[in-house]
Amino acid sequence: MTLFQLERVDFDVADRRLISTLSLDIGPGVTALIGRNGSGKSTLLKMLAAQAAPTGGTVRYRGRDLRHWTGRSLARDLAFLPQVTPPTEGMRLEELVALGRYPWRGALGRLGRTDRSAIDEAIALCGLDPLRRRIVDTLSGGERQRAWIAMMLAQGAQTLLLDEPISALDVAHQVEVLGLVQRMSRARRLSAIVVLHDVNMAARFCDHVIALGDGQVLLDGPIADLLDPDTLNRIYGLPMQVIPATPIPVVHPF
């Protein structure tokens, strides 16, 4: 099964081409989207989320051109977490999670029994029950990221798009957040595409990898394909070693 199909996709900004004639199929599971800064990762993710329209070419989701999805129907199936999240001043955690039910609410916008059940389940799955009445801005970075993921789960989305969700977190919270994404993928058959900079975290928590360089695909395959010094050098322009370790090898620059 293919989630996304991109056919000869271009994306231009001002006088610069960020993505050039990109053709790519993305399947289910957890996919790491990696590459150097400016390689086009966030731009690609925004196009997949229908937050940015390609200059040329076609992006399909579940076999259907993204331009033909209505906003509500797409939001019921796909959720996007940007690198910079919107402000949550004065908002309680359960109120943030409840925002995920917006695509499902009735004409009056009221939360029904099904909505409240989805909210409660998402909070529980993310291990946030003791924090549901807390103000979001008082939570730790890892707790806030789990709260945003809970909102995506309450949304009922089957595909999650996350742009650098661990960039501002310490190692413990990085493991916590990516571990949650991995567990949700396996337990609920969700798919996720995650922009990451840490190769070792990608190798530990992801099933597939897509590496970009100057708006082109440098690697598209199972995560094991990433653990090769020549491949890593081609992606990052830096000599790197792959050190044997259990359960997975560790990547380290020379």
Side-chain angles (χ1 to χ4, degrees), residues 85-86 103 110 134 207:
T85 54
R110 294 176 179 172
R134 284 271 301 274
D207 307 308

Side-chain angles (χ1 to χ4, degrees), residues 8-20:
R8 299 186 61 82
V9 168
D10 298 325
F11 188 87
D12 298 336
V13 54
D15 59 350
R16 184 182 172 202
R17 175 152 288 184
L18 301 182
I19 300 287
S20 180

Side-chain angles (χ1 to χ4, degrees), residues 168-185:
L169 304 181
D170 60 40
V171 173
H173 284 128
Q174 290 178 16
V175 170
E176 180 181 79
V177 168
L178 291 181
L180 173 62
V181 173
Q182 184 186 63
R183 290 194 302 276
M184 292 300 99
S185 172

Side-chain angles (χ1 to χ4, degrees), residues 42-247:
S42 292
T43 299
L44 174 56
L45 200 72
K46 288 176 183 176
M47 285 194 291
L48 299 181
Q51 300 292 310
T55 307
T58 304
V59 181
R60 293 186 177 89
Y61 177 57
R62 300 194 184 278
R64 185 179 176 189
D65 192 320
L66 269 179
R67 292 171 294 187
H68 299 157
W69 287 78
T70 66
R72 174 165 286 196
S73 62
L74 185 63
R76 289 180 172 183
D77 200 275
L78 184 148
F80 172 57
L81 184 63
Q83 186 176 345
V84 178
T85 54
T88 55
E89 186 176 355
M91 186 179 292
R92 298 188 186 276
L93 185 148
E94 62 184 359
E95 293 172 330
L96 172 62
V97 178
L99 293 179
R101 297 305 299 170
Y102 179 79
W104 299 92
R105 293 182 186 180
L108 298 179
R110 294 176 179 172
L111 294 174
R113 182 178 300 175
T114 300
D115 299 309
R116 297 192 183 281
S117 176
I119 294 164
D120 291 343
E121 181 182 15
I123 290 173
L125 284 170
C126 294
L128 295 169
D129 262 324
L131 305 174
R132 63 184 302 146
R133 299 290 295 168
R134 284 271 301 274
I135 299 297
V136 174
D137 290 349
T138 68
L139 302 175
S140 71
E143 290 165 345
R144 281 197 300 274
Q145 288 299 75
R146 282 192 286 144
W148 283 104
I149 293 173
M151 186 198 74
M152 299 168 87
L153 295 178
Q155 190 172 324
Q158 294 300 300
T159 303
L160 313 181
L161 306 178
L162 303 101
D163 193 355
E164 296 191 36
I166 63 170
S167 61
L169 304 181
D170 60 40
V171 173
H173 284 128
Q174 290 178 16
V175 170
E176 180 181 79
V177 168
L178 291 181
L180 173 62
V181 173
Q182 184 186 63
R183 290 194 302 276
M184 292 300 99
S185 172
R186 293 175 177 175
R188 299 180 56 129
R189 294 195 167 189
L190 302 181
S191 293
I193 301 173
V194 190
V195 174
L196 293 172
H197 282 293
D198 191 315
V199 173
N200 290 305
M201 288 294 178
R204 178 172 176 179
F205 292 105
C206 299
D207 307 308
H208 312 282
V209 59
I210 295 169
L212 296 184
D214 294 324
Q216 297 286 318
V217 176
L218 301 180
L219 175 65
D220 174 15
I223 202 70
D225 290 356
L226 178 63
L227 302 175
D228 173 74
D230 291 338
T231 300
L232 290 163
N233 194 355
R234 183 160 52 93
I235 295 169
Y236 292 104
L238 180 72
M240 302 180 83
Q241 57 184 325
V242 180
I243 304 169
T246 302

